[in-house]
Amino acid sequence: MTRLFEKTYLKPGAAPGHGAHATEHPHTGDATVSAWQYHREQLVGLDPQRTLREGLQPLDGGLVWLHLQGAPSPRQLHDLGEAFGLHTLALEDVRHQGQRPKVDFFDEQLVAILRQPRHHNSSIELDQVNLFVVSTRLVISIHSGERDPFGPVRERMRSANRNFNRLGAPYLAYALMDTVIDQAFPVLEHISERLETLEDKVLDQPDRHTLNEIHILRRELLVLRRQLWPTRDVVARLMRDDMEPFTPELFPYLRDAHDHTIQIMDLLESYREMAATLIEAYMSTINQRSNDVMRVLTIIATIFIPLTFLVGIYGMNFEHPDSPWSMPELYTYYGYPILLGVMLAVVLGMLDLFRRRGWL
């Protein structure tokens, strides 16, 4: 089940940035490091460990992209900070997962945090993505999940996309952000299918399991909305004139990403309303079924009331040869079939009355 509170944090009162290189990091393994240089419309692999330890080497121009897949170890965070001069507060946000999407500036460096939803064991989890635009030549990306989502970006770079050459690191940062944002659409499509399935169940055969599924879905939508809503503000802030290095030349691409964030939030809001409506439909369906059952039982009980009265009268058997108040029908030759006929007529008459009144 999707956790409502997933943020890791320092002990209250600790100094800011204290946890950036702390040895008590909950993840003991190193993140997988990859490094590429994009120059003259070609993507060439670099030595990732050397790039991580020593920073940018004397390269023949171009753009360098350093990517860490998984949760970095304290040693890797220390190497990153030393090699590229990353601020300790930015590194602390990498270490402590569950951050709210945001964009910050430390000196000349731009730091952005995004959340990427994904399916995991029939539930939705959110990975954290940290992006550092260190200079016009260097972008560092850190993805906390197990699978690298940026394969399509590398394919675009290999296909001689001139925007990477022309616009440099800011365009690469935009491409990575756009990829993370668009990862929400497959998740929302899956949620849409779940909503349609639950709607059919609610209208046909609602049960307690269906109600549990609706509550789980509402919980996931709540967490998604809380974690993805700030992404729209992140992209909007990058389109301001003073947000270097995102120049006006990048604004059309950022507006497209911003439009995607609006679509995602619109879908989330619609799905939340649909999930709430499913709860109401479930309760209405259950109440209707209860009313139908009670109506049938009431009709059956009502039919048997006069029959029970007749049977009770003739079950008393009051008889005395000298009393004028003895029951006269006790010794009637056809008394039994006559009584059965009267009882049948009563049943048919009541059923006809119920039908004409619309109770059946």
Side-chain angles (χ1 to χ4, degrees):
M1 182 179 293
T2 305
R3 295 184 59 191
L4 291 177
F5 187 87
E6 58 177 350
K7 178 177 172 58
T8 57
Y9 53 91
L10 288 172
K11 182 179 179 180
H18 172 74
H21 313 304
T23 57
E24 66 272 13
H25 195 287
H27 301 280
T28 57
D30 289 348
T32 304
V33 185
S34 306
W36 298 274
Q37 180 190 15
Y38 184 78
H39 184 47
R40 296 175 182 174
E41 300 181 3
Q42 290 185 347
L43 187 65
V44 180
L46 301 176
D47 184 348
Q49 298 302 328
R50 183 182 179 188
T51 305
L52 179 63
R53 291 192 306 269
E54 303 178 10
L56 283 178
Q57 301 301 309
L59 299 171
D60 185 20
L63 168 66
V64 175
W65 175 18
L66 181 66
H67 177 64
L68 283 75
Q69 186 64 43
S73 65
R75 178 184 58 81
Q76 288 178 317
L77 288 178
H78 178 269
D79 292 343
L80 272 177
E82 291 293 324
F84 304 106
L86 304 182
H87 200 281
T88 55
L89 290 177
L91 295 177
E92 181 181 323
D93 287 340
V94 175
R95 178 179 182 265
H96 294 292
Q97 298 293 301
Q99 299 292 329
R100 185 179 187 269
K102 62 180 180 178
V103 58
D104 282 326
F105 289 87
F106 298 97
D107 297 328
E108 299 298 325
Q109 299 175 0
L110 181 147
V111 181
I113 298 177
L114 301 175
R115 303 301 301 275
Q116 176 198 320
R118 61 180 174 87
H119 292 291
H120 179 71
N121 295 334
S122 301
S123 65
I124 296 177
E125 294 189 358
L126 289 134
D127 297 324
Q128 180 168 307
V129 180
N130 296 73
L131 297 178
F132 298 83
V133 183
V134 182
S135 66
T136 57
R137 293 185 56 204
L138 175 63
V139 173
I140 301 174
S141 59
I142 304 175
H143 187 279
S144 65
E146 298 178 355
R147 300 183 61 182
D148 183 1
F150 298 133
V153 177
R154 288 189 288 274
E155 291 301 320
R156 287 162 56 190
M157 298 176 78
R158 293 189 181 99
S159 63
N161 189 316
R162 295 184 179 180
N163 284 331
F164 291 100
N165 252 353
R166 183 168 58 89
L167 301 175
Y171 185 82
L172 174 58
Y174 149 75
L176 299 178
M177 293 176 59
D178 187 60
T179 301
V180 173
I181 292 171
D182 289 347
Q183 293 290 330
F185 285 111
V187 175
L188 292 175
E189 182 182 12
H190 178 70
I191 290 176
S192 174
E193 295 173 356
R194 289 171 62 186
L195 280 170
E196 293 175 0
T197 302
L198 288 174
E199 186 176 16
D200 293 337
K201 290 182 179 179
V202 166
L203 296 178
D204 295 338
Q205 291 294 330
D207 53 22
R208 182 167 297 181
H209 179 69
T210 303
L211 184 61
N212 291 338
E213 290 184 2
I214 296 175
H215 278 297
I216 291 174
L217 183 58
R218 290 191 66 187
R219 180 192 182 100
E220 292 176 349
L221 289 171
L222 175 65
V223 174
L224 280 176
R225 182 185 184 278
R226 186 186 66 192
Q227 295 293 348
L228 298 184
W229 182 277
T231 306
R232 182 172 61 178
D233 299 331
V234 170
V235 181
R237 187 181 178 192
L238 294 176
M239 289 190 292
R240 297 176 185 172
D241 294 339
D242 58 343
M243 293 294 109
E244 295 289 345
F246 286 83
T247 60
E249 198 172 5
L250 273 169
F251 287 0
Y253 303 101
L254 292 174
R255 281 196 296 268
D256 180 69
H258 187 260
D259 180 63
H260 291 180
T261 62
I262 294 176
Q263 294 178 34
I264 290 169
M265 295 314 304
D266 287 344
L267 289 172
L268 274 175
E269 291 298 323
S270 299
Y271 293 163
R272 289 183 66 210
E273 292 180 6
M274 291 177 63
T277 303
L278 283 180
I279 296 278
E280 297 175 0
Y282 174 87
M283 300 305 298
S284 298
T285 304
I286 293 297
N287 290 335
Q288 182 62 39
R289 290 179 61 185
S290 300
N291 292 337
D292 292 341
V293 171
M294 292 303 299
R295 181 175 60 181
V296 172
L297 295 178
T298 301
I299 290 175
I300 294 175
T302 303
I303 290 174
F304 275 90
I305 287 175
L307 304 185
T308 305
F309 174 76
L310 292 175
V311 172
I313 288 293
Y314 284 95
M316 292 187 291
N317 299 324
F318 286 113
E319 176 62 28
H320 191 279
D322 299 328
S323 175
W325 300 104
S326 298
M327 298 182 67
E329 294 88 357
L330 289 180
Y331 297 100
T332 303
Y333 190 79
Y334 294 104
Y336 181 64
I338 291 174
L339 180 60
L340 291 180
V342 171
M343 295 171 67
L344 179 60
V346 170
V347 171
L348 295 178
M350 295 182 69
L351 291 175
D352 181 66
L353 175 64
F354 295 158
R355 182 186 59 79
R356 286 189 284 108
R357 296 225 175 166
W359 297 349
L360 288 178

